[in-house]
Amino acid sequence: MFGTMAMTLVLVMQGASEEQPMLMFEKERIGTVTYESASVCDVNNDGVLDIVCGAHWFEGPDFKKQHKMCDVEAVGDYFDDFSSYPMDVNGDGYVDIITGGWFGENLRWRENPKGQPVEWKEHIIAKPGNVERATFYDIDGDGQVEVIPNCPGVPVSIFKLVTDENGKGTGRFEQTTISEGPQGHGMGFGDINGNGRDDIVLAAGWLEAPEDRYAGQWIWHPEFNLASASVPVLVYDVNRDGLNDLIVGQAHDYGLHWWEQKVDGDGNRTWTRHEIDPNRSQYHDMQLVDIDNDGELELVTGKRYYAHSGHDPGGNDPIGLYYFKIKDARFERFTVDYGPAESASGAGIYFWVEDIDGNGWKDIVAPGKEGLYLFRNMGLA
């Protein structure tokens, strides 16, 4: 959609006060692709991290060499590629890529040809419905990540990779449907009731995890309405009162909020919504990560540009990429990038945070209809 640009140095702009030290990022446009999901992994097992985005992977460490993986269906200004999770699905020692699509209504994995310069074969895992975004979480605590697609309008299903006696993937997944009612827009994971088991958060409530995640009954608690919630919804004790709260972006409207959990003496649970940022729209993806190496988690997020082809509230506003420091139940915004889509980056539908260059500071890989950008974290100014 837009042309290439040279590497630029970006000084993070502070959103509230001038007391905090600021991070510096080197911003670089990677290729000319406009897919909305990206990840970081070692594709060819050379010990160097690469970037995967849509139909292509970009070879590290400079990401100048672009490799075709496979064709991805284009529908209007979308590509039917709504996640890019690296996992060795078939146990051959090379990472494959798991994705899902709204238009194809499927989950699928792309088989890594062991780093060879040929196209990757795609395998359909299942057709659960319109995949808003696949999520990846160790829901049963066994150290292996499960695939749980957010499919508005259908029940929740967990897809668990089948492994052999050595713990290696076999290329197959087992599906377990755990809810009767339809899920809405939004999904998150975390221990809501403090019993040590991670629950599933949906737009209209949460599913309480049983001891046996696959044979037990998940109990539905319709306690809130998060509207068109972000994917993921983050479960985090914002005010440090011992109860986990929710951090929620409005994926297709204005607003970023946290929902405070309270439990009274009779065990009744209530949720109170607090504003974080009411003036920016389409907070679709977000992560909690220590971006500034202070030992505390920050909220990293940004706008998904043209989430509904410009028809969402604020769809034509400037886009941006941010992190928020969290202290005393307050969120302080720092701007990594901001401006028109011709020159700035948002966060896409599935962005990635990892120390890609080994300098000890976590970097941000931000895809989207505006382009694929790498923000190299250069540390404090």
Side-chain angles (χ1 to χ4, degrees), residues 1-287:
M1 185 179 296
F2 304 111
T4 58
M5 63 174 293
M7 184 181 297
T8 57
L9 190 64
V10 180
L11 179 66
V12 170
M13 297 176 289
Q14 197 153 347
S17 71
E18 298 301 329
E19 299 176 358
Q20 295 281 356
M22 293 182 289
L23 292 173
M24 295 186 70
F25 289 86
E26 284 185 353
K27 173 184 175 182
E28 181 181 4
R29 174 74 185 266
I30 305 297
T32 59
V33 298
T34 55
Y35 306 96
E36 295 188 76
S37 69
S39 63
V40 172
C41 57
D42 183 1
V43 171
N44 55 356
N45 283 6
D46 65 351
V48 178
L49 290 174
D50 310 299
I51 295 175
V52 173
C53 185
H56 303 273
W57 68 277
F58 298 84
E59 191 170 342
D62 61 9
F63 313 108
K64 303 299 182 185
K65 191 172 183 180
Q66 178 175 330
H67 301 265
K68 175 75 176 291
M69 295 170 63
C70 60
D71 292 323
V72 176
E73 181 185 8
V75 182
D77 60 355
Y78 294 91
F79 287 97
D80 202 28
D81 183 68
F82 285 47
S83 56
S84 301
Y85 190 80
M87 178 189 290
D88 184 2
V89 175
N90 58 1
D92 67 354
Y94 285 79
V95 291
D96 310 297
I97 297 296
I98 302 175
T99 187
W102 178 270
F103 303 99
E105 302 183 9
N106 60 41
L107 281 175
R108 56 193 183 273
W109 66 280
R110 297 174 180 144
E111 184 177 355
N112 188 335
K114 298 184 178 180
Q116 298 304 307
V118 297
E119 291 198 11
W120 298 34
K121 183 179 179 181
E122 283 205 335
H123 305 266
I124 300 296
I125 299 171
K127 299 198 73 172
N130 301 111
V131 178
E132 179 66 29
R133 211 204 79 175
T135 64
F136 306 89
Y137 195 77
D138 181 7
I139 197 68
D140 56 11
D142 68 349
Q144 176 183 296
V145 170
E146 282 73 53
V147 185
I148 310 173
N150 181 209
C151 301
V154 302
V156 178
S157 289
I158 300 172
F159 294 85
K160 185 172 184 62
L161 179 65
V162 177
T163 56
D164 62 18
E165 63 277 6
N166 297 314
K168 293 184 177 182
T170 62
R172 298 185 297 107
F173 290 81
E174 290 182 345
Q175 178 179 353
T176 303
T177 299
I178 63 169
S179 69
E180 296 180 359
Q183 51 182 304
H185 190 301
M187 180 174 282
F189 307 93
D191 187 359
I192 297 297
N193 56 2
N195 67 356
R197 296 193 291 267
D198 286 341
D199 310 297
I200 296 178
V201 178
L202 301 174
W206 59 285
L207 286 164
E208 181 180 345
E211 187 172 351
D212 187 326
R213 308 304 195 275
Y214 302 102
Q217 180 182 0
W218 292 70
I219 301 173
W220 175 238
H221 299 271
E223 295 178 354
F224 41 71
N225 181 1
L226 306 180
S228 290
S230 51
V231 190
V233 172
L234 299 176
V235 179
Y236 182 69
D237 186 1
V238 173
N239 55 3
R240 303 194 177 186
D241 64 352
L243 298 173
N244 275 331
D245 310 298
L246 307 177
I247 302 174
V248 185
Q250 286 304 300
H252 298 286
D253 204 342
Y254 283 98
L256 177 63
H257 310 92
W258 72 278
W259 290 68
E260 182 181 5
Q261 180 184 176
K262 291 293 184 184
V263 179
D264 66 19
D266 296 323
N268 299 309
R269 183 176 292 102
T270 59
W271 300 87
T272 303
R273 192 181 79 167
H274 302 274
E275 298 278 8
I276 299 174
D277 182 4
N279 300 317
R280 289 164 176 79
S281 75
Q282 298 171 123
Y283 281 111
H284 208 292
D285 189 13
M286 55 185 60
Q287 297 185 38

